[in-house]
Amino acid sequence: MTDPAPAPTAERQRLTVLVAGHRPDRLAEQAVPAVADALSAVLAAVVAAAGAACAPVVLTGVAEGSDTITAEAAATLGLPLELLAPGCPEPLSAAQQRAGNTVWLGAPDPLADGEEAIAIRDEIALGFADLLVVVWDGEAPHGLSGGTVRLAVRAALMMMPTVWVDLTGAVRVLDRSRLTPELLRRLGAPHPEVVWLREVFALSMNDALSAEVARLLDPFQPDVHTHGKGQHNKGHGLRSDAASKARRLKRYIGPPAVKKKDRSRAGKLHDFMLALLNANAKKIAESFGANEVRAFWGPEKPEGNVTHPIEASAFLDARFEPADMAASSAAGWHRDATWWIYGAAALAVFSAVAGAIHLWPGQRGLLWPVVELLSIALIVALFLKARHKKWHEQWIGQRFIAEQLRYARMCLPALTAPNLFYAPAWRSTGASLELESPELWFIQRALHGQGLPRSSVGGPYVASKPAVTTQIKAYVTHVLEDQSKYHKRTANKLHVAHKRLHHFSIGLFVVTALAVPAHFLLHAKWLLMFTAFFPALAAAIHGLSTKLEIARLAWQHKETAEKLDEIATAVRTLDTTAESGWSVWLRLRELARVAAAAMSEENNQWNELIGHQDTELPA
């Protein structure tokens, strides 16, 4: 047995090449030499295009045919190899034994039940792949599942770079610019015509494959044209013009914006005001001191003596931590600026009224005009600083990344991922490709860079093994309980704050309503404080609540907590010993996916709410 191929080093980017295709029933023996030569040529071209800064890894299965040919080609080229198979552990060939990581789903009979296990295996493989190489005879699928054709169609729907090796050894590259929204709709419908797919493989390997690899490593290569200025990035509340995308992506892949040892006062005013509204003396006291910026990790492993089923997700963690810290810091500054801006707006009105009625101690001096001028200057200065620092944009983008990576970390042991990890980060403009979402591109590359999970006890990772499902169940339950507590705590805090701000606003309007008729009786200038300043203060409170979306976020957090409690209960009731590990794993995996979908939906709704509440001058 040869030694396993070394895994890519931490300094080099990982590029996962998924190779899949026909078995001997559609891959005739006489076609094997031509296919083998073509696969070697494709893999060699990927290595050449990637250069020294990237470490391509070959991901394939263990079935006879395309999978075994791929393992031999990877061995010949000395490329790292990883295996993902739907069944239970079985003897491997010498080329397959050199794999650095092997994952078995553990299905008792992968070909039974409509090839469900194979379909799940293909779905998982696509979620961890940067590029697909498919060995396909170009014909329609055999049977309902049609593994190879289904895989190629799904990759097209994900806008994934794809290479087609036919049985003569000819190589074609998918022209993703021809995957228009209309064509994707047709391909996504049941039983698409294979001719629709064949027609978009229109590029030769020589130049096209190098360009695709370059895009994978850097979406803003000179040959990648972006269009559509002024359009909006659906679900993220961010401008999607080319300059904005490039700036955001540079921020994500650059050095961390916030260092672990930084102490910051970001968000302290916001914390103080919420603590004051909640009458929480402890939090009020804590809000006066600067805190060290830290990421909120949540549960790292199951509770009690249950061990974690997989090795630490170091690559995902290295991207989650700076995103979470940067999001918290930017959110703090944005919220504080919002409080200051609306507070200064109310103070400016107060000063104007105080000057008009000659309120002591300003009387007829310059005190109130100066205070009014300084209030307006503070508003303008904070507005300009917020726009320059782009606190809102950083908050939205980094929070989206951090939360999606959080859900991916929870799903990793169960070999699933939130749906956004399968969503297309690119779109066709009809003539070229446009990066639709730098955030999607970044989180997907993070999962690809992490790679398939590795067993925490060494050896192959058998996902549906009873001992493993027990560990996954404990871990997922612990994460859901922790997330539910967070949402309940936040919902209660925001609900109380909104209620008290609302009651305060009502009180201001009641006093105003009483002061207006009093003018007819008293004709006193000091009544202007009630008739002019109080409505302005109430308007400032309303504007602040709207900008921070306090009421709607309270309701949203409450709804999410209830969903997570329901899913956590369903997970807890799973019996990991009563039935076969495969059946339990399928249920557990689906519940983990549903939980991730619920949290991801909450994150998207949050983005919809907050994404349109950028820092603005008060009306």
Side-chain angles (χ1 to χ4, degrees), residues 466-530:
V468 174
T469 56
T470 299
Q471 295 167 343
I472 297 173
K473 173 186 171 181
Y475 173 59
V476 171
T477 302
H478 198 19
V479 171
L480 294 181
E481 290 173 345
D482 177 78
Q483 285 290 297
S484 176
K485 289 177 183 176
Y486 161 76
H487 286 290
K488 288 176 182 176
R489 186 170 61 248
T490 305
N492 181 67
K493 180 172 63 177
L494 293 177
H495 174 70
V496 171
H498 168 70
K499 183 173 66 174
R500 291 182 178 171
L501 285 173
H502 180 63
H503 289 167
F504 185 43
S505 297
I506 291 176
L508 292 173
F509 277 113
V510 168
V511 173
T512 301
L514 295 174
V516 170
H519 262 300
F520 296 103
L521 299 175
L522 301 178
H523 303 289
K525 289 185 177 181
W526 55 267
L527 285 173
L528 285 173
M529 192 60 68
F530 300 101

Side-chain angles (χ1 to χ4, degrees), residues 123-124 128 407-408 411-418 422 447 589 592-593:
E123 173 197 320
I124 294 168
F128 287 93
Y407 313 147
C411 290
L412 193 59
L415 290 169
T416 186
Y422 293 89
L447 185 63
R589 180 175 183 270
R593 188 197 65 78

Side-chain angles (χ1 to χ4, degrees), residues 153 236 245 323 346 379 405 409 426 457 506 525 552 595 598 616:
V153 170
H236 309 310
K245 293 178 194 174
I379 292 170
L405 293 182
R409 292 174 73 245
W426 295 85
V457 296
I506 291 176
K525 289 185 177 181
R552 287 198 282 185
E616 295 176 339

Side-chain angles (χ1 to χ4, degrees), residues 188-508:
H191 311 295
E193 297 287 343
V194 293
V195 66
W196 301 340
L197 186 61
R198 288 199 304 258
E199 288 177 347
V200 290
F201 282 94
L203 302 175
S204 63
M205 184 181 75
N206 295 336
D207 296 326
L209 188 54
S210 296
E212 289 291 25
V213 172
R215 285 189 183 97
L216 286 170
L217 301 179
D218 180 4
F220 290 99
Q221 288 288 318
D223 63 326
V224 181
H225 304 290
T226 55
H227 302 282
K229 286 189 177 183
Q231 296 178 3
H232 286 276
N233 187 8
K234 297 177 182 178
H236 309 310
L238 297 170
R239 293 186 305 134
S240 64
D241 59 271
S244 173
K245 293 178 194 174
R247 181 184 64 249
R248 282 148 47 199
L249 188 59
K250 183 179 179 180
R251 180 189 301 136
Y252 305 145
I253 63 180
V258 181
K259 297 180 180 179
K260 294 182 183 179
K261 295 183 180 180
D262 280 358
R263 295 186 64 82
S264 175
R265 295 194 56 83
K268 285 300 179 178
L269 176 60
H270 178 73
D271 293 342
F272 171 79
M273 294 304 297
L274 287 185
L276 185 65
L277 290 167
N278 281 266
N280 189 327
K282 181 181 177 182
K283 293 293 183 181
I284 290 174
E286 291 175 354
S287 68
F288 286 101
N291 294 334
E292 184 175 326
V293 182
R294 294 180 180 177
F296 175 73
W297 290 93
E300 288 298 284
K301 58 184 180 180
E303 282 187 311
N305 297 323
V306 182
T307 59
H308 201 50
I310 64 172
E311 289 183 359
S313 51
F315 195 86
L316 280 182
D317 295 354
R319 278 130 190 87
F320 163 78
E321 185 174 38
D324 191 70
M325 291 193 300
S328 297
S329 178
W333 292 123
H334 171 78
R335 288 164 173 158
D336 282 359
T338 302
W339 281 99
W340 279 114
I341 285 174
Y342 281 93
L347 181 59
V349 176
F350 175 86
S351 301
V353 174
I357 66 175
H358 310 304
L359 184 67
W360 184 89
Q363 297 174 322
R364 298 181 183 274
L366 295 177
L367 174 62
W368 296 122
V370 169
V371 172
E372 182 180 1
L373 182 61
L374 291 177
S375 299
I376 295 172
L378 177 62
I379 292 170
V380 174
L382 284 173
F383 169 77
L384 294 176
K385 186 171 184 179
R387 289 302 179 96
H388 174 68
K389 294 288 187 179
K390 301 196 179 299
W391 289 326
H392 183 263
E393 180 182 275
Q394 290 194 57
W395 178 25
I396 299 299
Q398 299 280 20
R399 179 51 61 202
F400 172 79
I401 289 172
E403 293 310 307
Q404 295 302 324
L405 293 182
R406 188 193 306 280
Y407 313 147
R409 292 174 73 245
M410 180 194 74
C411 290
L412 193 59
L415 290 169
T416 186
N419 290 337
L420 284 169
F421 285 80
Y422 293 89
W426 295 85
R427 68 184 296 270
S428 168
T429 64
S432 62
L433 286 176
E434 175 185 344
L435 184 64
E436 178 75 2
S437 169
E439 291 76 25
L440 278 184
W441 179 90
F442 184 82
I443 64 170
Q444 290 170 1
R445 282 287 292 143
L447 185 63
H448 304 161
Q450 174 62 42
L452 291 168
R454 296 173 180 267
S455 172
S456 59
V457 296
Y461 182 61
V462 186
S464 60
K465 191 176 177 180
V468 174
T469 56
T470 299
Q471 295 167 343
I472 297 173
K473 173 186 171 181
Y475 173 59
V476 171
T477 302
H478 198 19
V479 171
L480 294 181
E481 290 173 345
D482 177 78
Q483 285 290 297
S484 176
K485 289 177 183 176
Y486 161 76
H487 286 290
K488 288 176 182 176
R489 186 170 61 248
T490 305
N492 181 67
K493 180 172 63 177
L494 293 177
H495 174 70
V496 171
H498 168 70
K499 183 173 66 174
R500 291 182 178 171
L501 285 173
H502 180 63
H503 289 167
F504 185 43
S505 297
I506 291 176
L508 292 173

